[in-house]
Amino acid sequence: MNLSKTSQYAIRVISFMAYDNRQIYPASVLVKKLKISDKYLKRLLTTLSKHGIVRSIQGRYGGFVLDKKPENIFIYDIVAAVENIEKYYGCILGFSECSDENPCPLHEKWAPIRDELINLLKNTSIADVVKNPKIMKF
Amino acid sequence: MNLSKTSQYAIRVISFMAYDNRQIYPASVLVKKLKISDKYLKRLLTTLSKHGIVRSIQGRYGGFVLDKKPENIFIYDIVAAVENIEKYYGCILGFSECSDENPCPLHEKWAPIRDELINLLKNTSIADVVKNPKIMKF
DNA sequence: TTCATATACTACATTATTGTGGTATTTGAT
DNA sequence: ATCAAATACCACAATAATGTAGTATATGAA
């Protein structure tokens, strides 16, 4: 019951870049700092650039930069960029036809919790995350 | 953000058995009723019997019976029987060292939601589920 | 005792996620 | 123009979850 590893990686990278903002980071530096598998992180950064969350600068002295202010990048956007966000709206028992109108037996209990989670993702920006980065060891 | 398919299967089977309690169901009947892959469901039922949630009766005219009253079987027990329940207690950002004392940046917001979910699983019995089985098409 | 029909077990197949390797392409500094 | 150093791309490897096949074993009814 958590975000995918890919989402977690993405949040950590973006957070690191936000922590010391407006600087160009080559992927190699991010790999070393965050200890995420080299090729996987590079691919992830390309994905994030295609979704307008980072900007990629090719060629020598290139790298990646945040494309928005940390206050305007929300966890939800990052998760939606790297995995299928629909998953987070699904029925906890897996009934595709489950809805407010046609609820599964757990719907009334689960839906509010699910909504809280989605609101958490939607309302939490990378700026919020970076306010207390202690555990992230930047 | 939902239970694993295996957990969902398990809940549906147990719910079906609770809906018409104290009857012996051969796996073949459960497979047909619930449209879950034959061998996968049989293996799942064996797992559930090893965890004392159902009782298996071998040989001709055998099958599976609930081993407790539906009021005493909780979603949490079923999930814990078929997947690693620790997963549900984990940090949303994946930090293994994240805790109340050493929180990740999302911990304060996430922990209460996570606790609500766990309470939902712990406090909801199969009897509760079966009260409104409409969507389950029993 | 035999037999039909049930569960138990073992190994393999498929799929999705995560991780790796090699090469092509881009581009600023020289 | 060339080169170093960066991203982009493509194909494959490893792992975990889910699904399938075949066989062994159990047991009540006849």
Side-chain angles (χ1 to χ4, degrees):
Chain A
M1 188 59 58
N2 43 29
L3 304 174
S4 75
K5 241 179 165 180
T6 306
S7 284
Q8 294 174 349
Y9 287 168
I11 294 168
R12 284 167 57 194
V13 176
I14 303 297
S15 298
F16 175 74
M17 293 173 72
Y19 184 68
D20 185 46
N21 201 6
R22 293 297 123 191
Q23 184 174 335
I24 294 184
Y25 288 107
S28 59
V29 169
L30 298 170
V31 165
K32 201 176 293 179
K33 264 286 183 187
L34 299 171
K35 300 191 177 64
I36 296 171
S37 129
D38 184 284
K39 287 292 169 60
Y40 200 65
L41 181 53
K42 285 177 179 169
R43 190 161 71 198
L44 176 55
L45 284 162
T46 301
T47 301
L48 289 169
S49 79
K50 286 186 176 159
H51 283 84
I53 293 172
V54 302
R55 186 152 39 86
S56 79
I57 297 158
Q58 283 196 326
R60 201 179 185 180
Y61 307 111
F64 296 90
V65 191
L66 288 194
D67 209 18
K68 308 178 194 173
K69 289 186 193 164
E71 300 83 46
N72 296 326
I73 305 176
F74 294 90
I75 304 286
Y76 186 91
D77 305 327
I78 298 176
V79 173
V82 304
E83 53 177 311
N84 178 14
I85 195 73
E86 288 305 315
K87 200 166 62 180
Y88 292 87
Y89 290 91
C91 168
I92 193 173
L93 292 182
F95 290 102
S96 57
E97 66 271 38
C98 172
S99 65
D100 289 344
E101 292 73 36
N102 184 30
C104 81
L106 295 189
H107 186 80
E108 278 186 33
K109 289 179 167 187
W110 167 240
I113 297 176
R114 181 198 63 189
D115 291 346
E116 280 184 67
L117 169 63
I118 290 175
N119 285 334
L120 163 57
L121 301 179
K122 282 194 173 171
N123 297 328
T124 307
S125 73
I126 289 297
D128 296 324
V129 171
V130 168
K131 271 178 203 151
N132 181 12
K134 191 174 41 170
I135 205 173
M136 304 182 114
K137 305 195 177 73
F138 293 156
Chain B
M1 189 56 60
N2 44 28
L3 305 174
S4 75
K5 242 178 165 180
T6 306
S7 285
Q8 294 174 349
Y9 287 168
I11 294 168
R12 285 168 55 196
V13 176
I14 303 296
S15 300
F16 175 74
M17 294 173 72
Y19 184 67
D20 185 47
N21 201 5
R22 292 296 122 193
Q23 186 175 333
I24 294 184
Y25 287 106
S28 58
V29 169
L30 299 171
V31 165
K32 200 176 292 177
K33 265 285 182 187
L34 299 170
K35 300 191 177 65
I36 297 170
S37 128
D38 186 283
K39 288 292 168 57
Y40 201 66
L41 180 53
K42 285 177 180 170
R43 190 160 71 197
L44 176 55
L45 285 163
T46 301
T47 302
L48 289 170
S49 79
K50 285 185 176 159
H51 283 84
I53 293 172
V54 301
R55 187 152 38 86
S56 80
I57 297 159
Q58 282 197 327
R60 202 179 184 182
Y61 305 109
F64 296 90
V65 192
L66 288 194
D67 209 18
K68 308 178 194 173
K69 289 188 194 164
E71 300 83 48
N72 295 327
I73 305 175
F74 293 91
I75 305 286
Y76 187 90
D77 305 327
I78 298 176
V79 173
V82 303
E83 53 178 310
N84 178 14
I85 195 71
E86 287 305 315
K87 200 167 62 181
Y88 292 86
Y89 290 90
C91 167
I92 194 173
L93 291 182
F95 290 102
S96 57
E97 65 273 38
C98 172
S99 66
D100 289 345
E101 293 73 37
N102 185 30
C104 80
L106 295 189
H107 187 79
E108 278 186 33
K109 289 180 167 187
W110 166 240
I113 298 176
R114 182 198 63 189
D115 291 346
E116 281 185 67
L117 169 63
I118 289 174
N119 285 334
L120 164 57
L121 300 180
K122 282 193 173 172
N123 297 329
T124 306
S125 73
I126 289 297
D128 296 326
V129 171
V130 167
K131 271 178 204 151
N132 180 13
K134 192 174 42 169
I135 206 172
M136 303 182 116
K137 305 197 177 74
F138 293 156

